[in-house]
Amino acid sequence: QVQLQESGPGLVKPSQTLSLTCTVSGGSISSGGYYWSWIRQHPGKGLEWIGYIYYSGSTYYNPSLKSRVTISVDTSKNQFSLKLSSVTAADTAVYYCASLGPELLADYWGQGTLVTVSS
Amino acid sequence: DIQMTQSPSSVSASVGDRVTITCRASQGISSWLAWYQQKPGKAPKLLIYAASSLQSGVPSRFSGSGSGTDFTLTISSLQPEDFATYYCQQANSFPLFGPGTKVDIK
């Protein structure tokens, strides 16, 4: 069974870059067949897809965040990462990583990590 | 861009009740629709995909139907563990979630 675990700072200052890593176990990112995605949830709100990446490096970003988002993959470490630049308080959220099957279904999720943007 | 709506935004129900949640897409998405359940403090869980296919391990009291723009999630007999928020998600293009429907105790 695939397991995902987010890691990274829980507090980021405004205007800085939020950086998170998702470590995948129980399966290989480079085996193909899955996309690897980031999703966030503002406190008490709904779910927002940030973007996703294939092991080859092909990326797909939410148009509303595209100018600030970079998702990358490190197959040697079986990890993928999120960078969100120029953050504001509006980026405070729980960030989830998830595996995305070929039919764009998020079937395995990390537990989520709360990132607070504050000075 | 496709927009997703859900109704109702919240519903109060009792154990044993039949609960139906509706999801509507602003344009046709065939059967590219999934449903997730999220409990407080937890990650969402995939319940149904392709509008009506039950994910492995999901109880049969959950069912989905619809195609095109209108979809429903039905819980035939609500159980205590079903009190949660339910999200639809279109998978026809860049994935997008609906705003959610909270099912709470009456």
Side-chain angles (χ1 to χ4, degrees):
Chain A
Q1 168 133 342
V2 174
Q3 294 184 315
L4 300 95
Q5 177 67 57
E6 306 89 351
S7 59
L11 181 64
V12 181
K13 289 181 166 50
S15 79
Q16 293 190 342
T17 296
L18 179 159
S19 296
L20 294 174
T21 296
C22 183
T23 301
V24 179
S25 58
S28 172
I29 283 180
S30 56
S31 64
Y34 273 85
Y35 298 98
W36 303 95
S37 69
W38 289 98
I39 297 158
R40 70 180 182 178
Q41 186 168 36
H42 295 102
K45 302 297 184 183
L47 299 159
E48 179 182 32
W49 229 296
I50 299 171
Y52 51 98
I53 190 166
Y54 197 55
Y55 78 97
S56 61
S58 298
T59 52
Y60 307 83
Y61 297 141
N62 185 329
S64 68
L65 297 169
K66 186 174 183 178
S67 64
R68 298 194 292 130
V69 173
T70 302
I71 297 176
S72 59
V73 64
D74 186 338
T75 55
S76 67
K77 295 182 178 179
N78 222 32
Q79 296 176 333
F80 62 104
S81 298
L82 168 69
K83 290 188 185 300
L84 182 65
S85 64
S86 306
V87 297
T88 69
D91 295 308
T92 293
V94 174
Y95 287 76
Y96 294 100
C97 58
S99 61
L100 196 61
E103 297 183 342
L104 302 185
L105 304 170
D107 46 6
Y108 296 103
W109 295 68
Q111 64 185 25
T113 187
L114 174 64
V115 179
T116 301
V117 179
S118 174
S119 56
Chain B
D1 293 352
I2 298 175
Q3 305 295 322
M4 306 298 292
T5 58
Q6 286 183 235
S7 61
S9 57
S10 66
V11 57
S12 295
S14 301
V15 172
D17 283 355
R18 181 182 183 90
V19 173
T20 298
I21 298 168
T22 297
C23 176
R24 177 165 291 174
S26 60
Q27 61 190 74
I29 57 171
S30 185
S31 295
W32 296 103
L33 193 283
W35 291 96
Y36 298 80
Q37 175 194 67
Q38 186 180 33
K39 297 181 179 179
K42 300 294 186 182
K45 172 187 173 183
L46 178 63
L47 296 177
I48 287 171
Y49 62 96
S52 61
S53 296
L54 207 62
Q55 177 72 344
S56 175
V58 174
S60 59
R61 62 181 179 273
F62 291 93
S63 64
S65 64
S67 67
T69 60
D70 295 315
F71 303 86
T72 59
L73 171 70
T74 299
I75 310 171
S76 61
S77 178
L78 198 66
Q79 298 301 300
E81 60 269 31
D82 301 336
F83 292 98
T85 300
Y86 294 85
Y87 295 93
C88 62
Q89 177 231 318
Q90 72 88 8
N92 183 64
S93 56
F94 188 88
L96 176 67
F97 290 101
T101 295
K102 184 176 181 180
V103 178
D104 59 21
I105 300 172
K106 192 171 188 178

